[in-house]
Amino acid sequence: MTAIFCSSLCIGQTKNSKGNPEPKIVNIVNFIRDIEPREANVTKDVLYQTVVKQIELMKTNHLGGTFLLQYDALIDLRYQALLKALPKNKFEIGAWWELPQQLIEKAGIKWRGKYTWDWHSDIGFSVGYNPEERKKIIDTYFTDFKKIFGYYPKSVASWVIDGYSLTYMYDKYKIVASANCKDQVGTDGFTLWGGYWNQAYYPSRINAYMPAQNVKNQLPVPVFRMLGSDPIRQYADGRSVTTLEPVYMHAGGNEQWIKWFLKSFSDDPSLGFNYTQAGQENSFTWDGMQKGLAIQFPIIAQLKEQGKVRVETMSESGSWFKKKYKVTPATSFTVTKDLGDSDAQTIWYNSRFYRANFLWEKGNMLIRDIHLFNESIPDKYMKSVTTINQSFFYTLPVVDGFNWGSKDKTAGLQLMVNINGLDKAVHGGKAIFRNPDLHTAQVLWPSDLGTFQIELKEKTLKITCNNNLNSDWFLDLNIAQSAHTPIKSITNESVIYEFDGHTYKLSASKGIFEKPTKGAKYRLRPKGQTILLSMR
């Protein structure tokens, strides 16, 4: 495995402005259930044949990947035989952390579900069980996995997983990588909102969704973000599913979208590295995913052959991440050219302190999202459980374009200018994305006021207007009339927030906050044509 892994580091690397490598990493992850009670026609044979077909298509395209087993599939002899026959230098077998009846009862816990596999948050996921029960469940799964495969799983993923479980899996069994769901609000009962948007991060030991700021408080297990979210459209409706998943015909099952997404992913500038996860759970059946995968896999294979992407197992990517990064890195995902006739461009920037998203569309600039990270905030399920079919994982919102917006209009900080007493949006051209060093993403945006230079660093966000010393520009936070924000007070130097019982602030080292004016929640003016925000 060492030789194969090392050789993969030599491909799939573009370079930033300093000549540093920017790997583009693809994990093909298919997870396996042995039962699907929601659809009568999705039988055990249908589920099994779906995995057989996935393997055939991957082999045809000379692609390896990761198969994650739900416990009911783990103990099924057919899946054991099928997966044991896979070449170990190309395929990885790991754990899918949904909890069916067989696992719960073998761990000595009473089953509360309506079906052998119950997908509700309080039944089928670790957040529905107290910490002592979680340890029993983990020990049971890992013990049986080793009996079957001869080793403990290195990769464990789930739609949601709590910090207690993830920490226990690392401390006792030394897992190498994990993954959780994309950011979404309420889809299938799961809310994950405001986290490290893509790529991977080291979580806090007390919060699997919250990036840690310091080595001593972080869990050294990289958590990758699943599903390959559309960087532009997925955010605008947090309840939508606009991802690389091949069953969605407007996205991962659509040839035009697939080609656009993978081209942007592999060609557009990214800070640090870029990442996406392909694949699909077998519950959607081969009929549902065949078309999309048959388009995606040859393109991924071609990009791999061209040296534009690395295709790895989850544990290979996790091992690489841990070797390269001592703390969560700064990364970015950019789109220089949108799908079809749209002129939209975007950048998602992540560091261990915050995330931010800028959108340029129809000549205007909007900061759609800023969330701060705090490693000292535990997730809701460290010591307690959910008793409903919902689970909630948050960070600290500073700007929340989706939750503070409306169906027709995303909220955010709009770049504005006052000309002859009239406020209007600043108009400009195409944004240019650059990475001047390993920690900084830079955007140059030519506008009718001059060129705006945006610098996103690990702890700061800076906006400067060059070529014009006299323009009266500013940022207005516009939200929907019915929206509720956690803003508690506004001073010239900062905005104070209180969310979910936690108080925090956004501070301006350069710039002045003003209280609501003409409908805006607040206005942020530059000092000397510069706004500099502290993001820690």
Side-chain angles (χ1 to χ4, degrees):
M1 184 174 73
T2 302
I4 291 171
F5 179 59
C6 289
S7 66
S8 71
L9 292 179
C10 300
I11 65 173
Q13 298 182 350
T14 58
K15 294 185 180 295
N16 65 16
S17 59
K18 295 292 185 180
N20 297 306
E22 296 174 356
K24 315 283 187 165
I25 299 172
V26 179
N27 288 165
I28 298 175
V29 181
N30 301 301
F31 54 90
I32 304 172
R33 303 184 180 110
D34 189 44
I35 185 173
E36 177 48 81
R38 294 171 294 186
E39 300 288 343
N41 62 319
V42 183
T43 64
K44 286 176 176 282
D45 283 341
V46 169
L47 292 169
Y48 177 78
Q49 289 302 323
T50 296
V51 180
V52 170
K53 293 295 186 181
Q54 288 174 328
I55 292 171
E56 288 177 356
L57 187 62
M58 292 170 75
K59 287 183 174 180
T60 297
N61 288 281
H62 307 288
L63 297 171
T66 299
F67 285 92
L68 303 178
L69 290 164
Q70 192 169 279
Y71 186 80
D72 51 342
L74 171 68
I75 60 176
D76 185 283
L77 295 177
R78 288 198 298 177
Y79 287 115
Q80 292 177 20
L82 177 68
L83 299 177
K84 284 180 178 180
L86 294 176
K88 291 182 173 56
N89 62 348
K90 290 186 177 180
F91 292 91
E92 173 193 16
I93 314 303
W96 179 250
W97 209 244
E98 293 186 49
L99 314 177
Q101 182 175 357
Q102 299 98 317
L103 175 58
I104 298 304
E105 290 183 341
K106 189 164 185 184
I109 302 166
K110 183 179 179 180
W111 178 246
R112 296 177 278 110
K114 294 181 179 179
Y115 313 97
T116 303
W117 168 60
D118 192 320
W119 55 92
H120 295 93
S121 292
D122 56 329
I123 306 296
F125 292 84
S126 60
V127 294
Y129 298 85
N130 66 48
E132 287 304 311
E133 290 173 327
R134 293 173 209 170
K135 289 197 292 186
K136 293 178 182 178
I137 295 166
I138 293 167
D139 288 341
T140 300
Y141 185 102
F142 276 67
T143 297
D144 286 356
F145 189 101
K146 187 174 184 180
K147 287 179 181 177
I148 293 165
F149 289 103
Y151 55 88
Y152 293 126
K154 295 180 179 179
S155 297
V156 182
S158 183
W159 298 132
V160 295
I161 189 166
D162 64 283
Y164 187 95
S165 293
L166 201 62
T167 297
Y168 185 77
M169 289 176 187
Y170 172 75
D171 286 344
K172 186 168 184 178
Y173 297 104
K174 301 304 176 187
I175 62 170
V176 173
S178 186
N180 60 19
C181 188
K182 72 183 190 325
D183 266 30
Q184 61 183 33
V185 176
T187 306
D188 296 328
F190 313 124
T191 293
L192 306 91
W193 198 253
Y196 198 100
W197 184 78
N198 196 57
Q199 286 93 331
Y201 62 95
Y202 289 125
S204 163
R205 275 187 165 267
I206 59 174
N207 192 330
Y209 184 64
M210 182 76 74
Q213 285 73 61
N214 299 286
V215 171
K216 66 178 181 178
N217 296 321
Q218 75 183 14
L219 186 67
V221 176
V223 177
F224 294 88
R225 302 308 305 273
M226 295 177 68
L227 304 181
S229 291
D230 184 317
I232 292 174
R233 276 159 286 276
Q234 175 64 48
Y235 183 82
D237 182 358
R239 295 179 178 86
S240 70
V241 184
T242 307
T243 69
L244 197 56
E245 292 175 274
V247 296
Y248 295 105
M249 291 300 107
H250 66 289
N254 180 283
E255 184 172 5
Q256 183 185 17
W257 186 94
I258 293 167
K259 289 180 177 179
W260 163 78
F261 176 84
L262 290 175
K263 178 176 174 56
S264 183
F265 166 77
S266 60
D267 287 353
D268 287 344
S270 58
L271 179 66
F273 74 101
N274 212 354
Y275 174 83
T276 196
Q277 177 254 316
Q280 188 80 67
E281 70 260 43
N282 62 340
S283 293
F284 277 105
T285 79
W286 186 243
D287 286 345
M289 69 184 72
Q290 177 181 8
K291 177 184 175 183
L293 291 183
I295 299 169
Q296 290 182 25
F297 284 0
I299 296 174
I300 293 171
Q302 184 180 36
L303 291 172
K304 177 186 174 184
E305 187 68 22
Q306 293 170 347
K308 290 187 173 184
V309 305
R310 290 165 27 188
V311 180
E312 300 174 348
T313 65
M314 272 185 62
S315 64
E316 285 177 333
S317 297
S319 295
W320 167 82
F321 187 97
K322 190 171 180 178
K323 182 178 180 181
K324 185 173 180 63
Y325 299 114
K326 299 302 181 185
V327 293
T328 297
T331 65
S332 69
F333 193 134
T334 67
V335 174
T336 59
K337 173 67 177 69
D338 194 14
L339 185 65
D341 296 329
S342 169
D343 69 347
Q345 297 177 279
T346 197
I347 181 171
W348 282 95
Y349 178 88
N350 306 279
S351 78
R352 66 187 191 273
F353 296 95
Y354 75 103
R355 80 175 192 186
N357 176 237
F358 286 66
L359 178 72
W360 292 266
E361 190 173 24
K362 298 178 181 177
N364 301 140
M365 188 187 90
L366 180 71
I367 304 177
R368 291 195 295 182
D369 187 275
I370 300 174
H371 278 74
L372 302 181
F373 304 145
N374 186 334
E375 64 191 9
S376 67
I377 297 175
D379 68 49
K380 294 176 181 292
Y381 312 106
M382 276 299 294
K383 297 180 180 180
S384 62
V385 302
T386 183
T387 57
I388 61 173
N389 182 29
Q390 293 283 331
S391 57
F392 304 92
F393 291 83
Y394 295 110
T395 62
L396 301 175
V398 170
V399 176
D400 193 329
F402 171 66
N403 284 306
W404 302 353
S406 64
K407 182 178 180 181
D408 301 319
K409 187 173 178 61
T410 302
L413 285 165
Q414 182 79 53
L415 184 60
M416 305 286 290
V417 64
N418 184 280
I419 299 177
N420 298 325
L422 180 66
D423 294 344
K424 67 175 187 176
V426 176
H427 191 272
K430 288 290 185 182
I432 300 169
F433 304 108
R434 303 193 306 194
N435 301 323
D437 59 52
L438 294 176
H439 309 289
T440 307
Q442 187 181 83
V443 186
L444 300 177
W445 186 52
S447 78
D448 47 15
L449 299 185
T451 299
F452 280 87
Q453 180 171 307
I454 299 158
E455 284 192 345
L456 298 151
K457 293 180 175 289
E458 283 192 301
K459 301 177 184 179
T460 59
L461 189 162
K462 182 179 180 181
I463 303 174
T464 300
C465 183
N466 298 317
N467 309 327
N468 191 330
L469 301 179
N470 301 310
S471 58
D472 182 15
W473 63 272
F474 46 87
L475 294 168
D476 269 357
L477 178 60
N478 295 308
I479 65 172
Q481 188 172 2
S482 59
H484 172 74
T485 76
I487 295 173
K488 290 301 177 184
S489 62
I490 301 167
T491 69
N492 286 347
E493 295 81 22
S494 64
V495 180
I496 308 300
Y497 297 80
E498 185 179 323
F499 176 78
D500 208 22
H502 305 286
T503 301
Y504 53 102
K505 66 180 179 179
L506 176 68
S507 299
S509 302
K510 284 189 177 182
I512 301 172
F513 292 100
E514 296 178 352
K515 293 184 178 181
T517 172
K518 296 183 180 179
K521 194 68 178 176
Y522 64 73
R523 177 167 290 180
L524 175 55
R525 292 188 179 276
K527 276 188 177 180
Q529 298 297 303
T530 294
I531 289 172
L532 179 61
L533 299 175
S534 173
M535 312 301 283
R536 55 177 301 183

